[in-house]
Amino acid sequence: MTTTKFHPEVYTQALTSKSVSYASPSNIALIKYWGKHGVQIPKNPSISFTLDTCKTTTKLSYIKREEINDEYELKVILDGKHKPGFEPKIHQFFGRIESYLPFVKDYAFTIETSNSFPHSSGIASSASGLSALALCLMEMEREMQPEMTFKHFNQKASFIARLGSGSGCRSLEGPLVVWGEHAEIKGSSDMYGVQYPYEVHPVFDNYQDAILLVDKGEKPVSSTVGHNLMHNHAYAASRFEQAVVNLSSLISILETGDLDAFVRLVESEALTLHAMMLTSNPYFILMKPNTLQIIDEIWEYRRETGIPVCFTLDAGANVHVLFPDKDKEQVHEFIKNDLSKYCQDNRYIFDSVGSGAIKL
Ligand code: PMV
């Protein structure tokens, strides 16, 4: 797929605004992206639920630079405090996007950002943070090119977000977003996320995600290192094929609302992601004893109550507990009474699927 459609046309309007703000959510993958090539091109297609309350809010302020040199001029402020430690990542991001948004070198930027979820909760803020920043930058471009279509804006914003955080390209819309080419999913692309285009059974409306914060510490393996472990991995090729097959199965599960099949598929995907890390070289165990305790309790609760609650994991020890909206009260009680003791400082977040980023 060519990327030339994302090179800018000639800008027809001058930029008169001084700042723009977006709130963009986190997302949780049902079919996992793990393994990439080139510049953030996924080795397999993935699909995620967009979250609602776990989000990053970013205000991007800009003034024209008097003198332009090879360096970008930017400052990152997190919760009101200057964080120079975050700036190299944004410099790298600007380097990747400059050929698509050439004005990044013409302005001095201040990026004021805050997350709705607690600091060092183990919830990655890169998907929500980079997608919020991508949207702010795209809003600048839209002001200079007002004839831009809504579709182009969304596609290019997701494309730009992808260059900062792969999974971040799935955060802009909701409730379900696919990233990565899949023969059965119309419009799917390796270059950007697209809203899931087919019918979804009402049982998935307002689907719930409770995030159990098992380990708030730094992850022992960054996602960049993790993705790289899939190069030369003994099981990589079959894992990439399996993700394609699993996504095909999910299409009919989403249509029919077969929650038993949903539970099996989602849990298997989570365990497969961790199995890839257990069997890589070097190998990693990212689950903690409490992760396994929680999984065990979920299985027992499901057996006893028949409620189709299931877990999924990202590349860490925290557990996402997924369940239908109609079972919310009961499952919330279960989490408060039985699972919260496995969380660090008893902390968990009740979230649900959301509809994507919003301009503030
Ligand atoms: O976007 P990254 O590079 O942080 O990778 C995210 C990978 C997983 O969260 C483990 C899976 C996924 O598809 O979100």
Side-chain angles (χ1 to χ4, degrees), residues 27 29 31-34 46 126 165-167 170 223 227 273 314-315:
N27 66 72
I31 308 286
K32 309 288 180 183
Y33 148 60
W34 199 242
S46 58
S126 55
S165 154
S167 60
R170 298 187 312 235
S223 78
H227 288 289
L273 169 70
D314 62 15

Side-chain angles (χ1 to χ4, degrees), residues 67-83:
E67 226 175 89
I68 295 166
N69 53 36
D70 289 344
E71 299 280 302
Y72 304 110
E73 207 176 319
L74 59 92
K75 193 171 179 181
V76 176
I77 297 180
L78 175 67
D79 295 330
K81 287 199 192 93
H82 183 203
K83 294 278 177 180

Side-chain angles (χ1 to χ4, degrees), residues 104-335:
V104 290
K105 62 182 179 317
D106 301 336
Y107 290 84
F109 293 93
T110 304
I111 303 159
E112 289 170 83
T113 190
S114 62
N115 298 320
S116 65
F117 40 88
H119 283 306
S120 49
S121 58
I123 300 182
S125 58
S126 55
S128 51
L130 269 303
S131 55
L133 181 56
L135 282 158
C136 290
L137 291 165
M138 279 305 296
E139 205 58 56
M140 290 176 72
E141 178 160 84
R142 175 150 64 184
E143 193 181 330
M144 294 184 280
Q145 206 181 16
E147 59 284 4
M148 182 186 298
T149 64
F150 179 69
K151 183 174 169 195
H152 181 81
F153 178 90
N154 274 346
Q155 278 186 356
K156 185 166 174 181
S158 176
F159 171 87
I160 296 291
R162 188 200 98 231
L163 295 174
S165 154
S167 60
C169 81
R170 298 187 312 235
S171 275
L172 286 70
E173 297 176 276
L176 280 161
V177 176
V178 177
W179 169 40
E181 235 172 281
H182 188 281
E184 290 164 59
I185 299 189
K186 209 169 138 240
S188 58
S189 168
D190 284 351
M191 296 293 142
Y192 45 81
V194 294
Q195 205 153 359
Y196 181 70
Y198 305 126
E199 199 184 325
V200 176
H201 192 278
V203 79
F204 294 107
D205 288 353
N206 205 33
Y207 219 70
Q208 300 291 307
D209 179 13
I211 307 158
L212 307 188
L213 307 174
V214 172
D215 187 25
K216 298 182 299 180
E218 281 277 304
K219 290 180 183 179
V221 51
S222 72
S223 78
T224 308
V225 172
H227 288 289
N228 285 338
L229 294 173
M230 291 301 276
H231 298 309
N232 307 317
H233 191 296
Y235 307 136
S238 51
R239 161 59 197 157
F240 301 142
E241 277 170 37
Q242 179 198 42
V244 173
V245 173
N246 282 351
L247 188 45
S248 295
S249 310
L250 190 62
I251 295 173
S252 61
I253 293 172
L254 289 173
E255 189 186 338
T256 58
D258 181 348
L259 288 178
D260 290 339
F262 180 77
V263 160
R264 283 196 299 274
L265 189 72
V266 167
E267 291 190 344
S268 166
E269 271 291 317
L271 294 176
T272 301
L273 169 70
H274 282 253
M276 290 300 108
M277 278 173 277
L278 289 168
T279 53
S280 59
N281 181 14
Y283 42 80
F284 292 95
I285 303 179
L286 299 185
M287 294 191 225
K288 296 283 181 200
N290 280 349
T291 311
L292 292 173
Q293 294 277 14
I294 290 169
I295 291 174
D296 228 34
E297 294 242 8
I298 288 174
W299 284 349
E300 197 182 322
Y301 180 80
R302 191 162 75 217
R303 260 195 314 271
E304 279 174 4
T305 62
I307 294 177
V309 53
C310 69
F311 71 86
T312 187
L313 308 164
D314 62 15
N318 294 337
V319 182
H320 288 249
V321 187
L322 302 177
F323 46 97
D325 187 45
K326 77 168 179 48
D327 299 315
K328 186 161 114 181
E329 264 173 48
Q330 239 179 301
V331 178
H332 281 183
E333 283 305 301
F334 164 56
I335 290 169

